[in-house]
Amino acid sequence: QAQLVESGGDSVQAGGSLKLSCAASGSSRSPYLMMTWFRQAPGKEREGVAAIYIGRDNLRYADAVKGRFTISRDNHENTVYLQMTNLKPEDTATYYCAGSLWYISIEQTLDPDRYKYWGQGTQVTVSS
């Protein structure tokens, strides 16, 4: 069974940085075509944060994180990263990674309904 395991969540002060990791393992011998970070704050819907294709040449970011977050992936290790800088209290959420073995159009990459495989989440808390 395919698994995604996130790590790297922590509590930081506003303006700080964190790097999240998501390692894929399990029965899938093929890397995910798309790996994406989502987040969900209490009482809010899950929202897409950043997405990256297997070729690493096509990325997409939510407007709220552009210029502050960077997504990257290591296809050999089947791992995706999210480097977060200049963190703000509104970035506080549980961060999830998701993977798709099938192609997703760039317009739909931040839609959680497009993903079958999910990690368990890692908590990021940013205090002011």
Side-chain angles (χ1 to χ4, degrees):
Q1 184 174 350
Q3 280 190 306
L4 295 168
V5 180
E6 304 96 333
S7 60
D10 205 344
S11 296
V12 297
Q13 296 277 343
S17 299
L18 281 176
K19 186 173 184 177
L20 307 182
S21 300
C22 174
S25 62
S27 61
S28 172
R29 298 180 64 87
S30 300
Y32 293 96
L33 293 182
M34 174 68 65
M35 295 187 81
T36 301
W37 286 97
F38 291 84
R39 67 185 181 186
Q40 188 166 20
K44 295 188 176 182
E45 292 187 352
R46 189 167 297 189
E47 62 174 353
V49 174
I52 185 168
Y53 285 92
I54 186 172
R56 292 167 288 184
D57 56 350
N58 212 348
L59 314 175
R60 187 178 178 199
Y61 293 94
D63 290 342
V65 306
K66 282 181 181 176
R68 300 188 299 120
F69 291 10
T70 302
I71 189 170
S72 61
R73 66 186 290 173
D74 182 332
N75 289 332
H76 179 71
E77 297 294 331
N78 225 2
T79 300
V80 64
Y81 304 96
L82 186 67
Q83 177 68 55
M84 305 185 294
T85 62
N86 190 22
L87 283 160
K88 304 175 180 181
E90 51 263 43
D91 294 319
T92 295
T94 301
Y95 283 71
Y96 300 88
C97 74
S100 175
L101 299 176
W102 302 275
Y103 175 79
I104 300 174
S105 66
I106 190 68
E107 297 81 10
Q108 296 175 326
T109 51
L110 300 184
D111 180 356
D113 292 338
R114 300 295 170 181
Y115 295 84
K116 178 180 179 180
Y117 301 102
W118 291 86
Q120 82 290 347
T122 186
Q123 179 66 37
V124 172
T125 302
V126 184
S127 57
S128 57

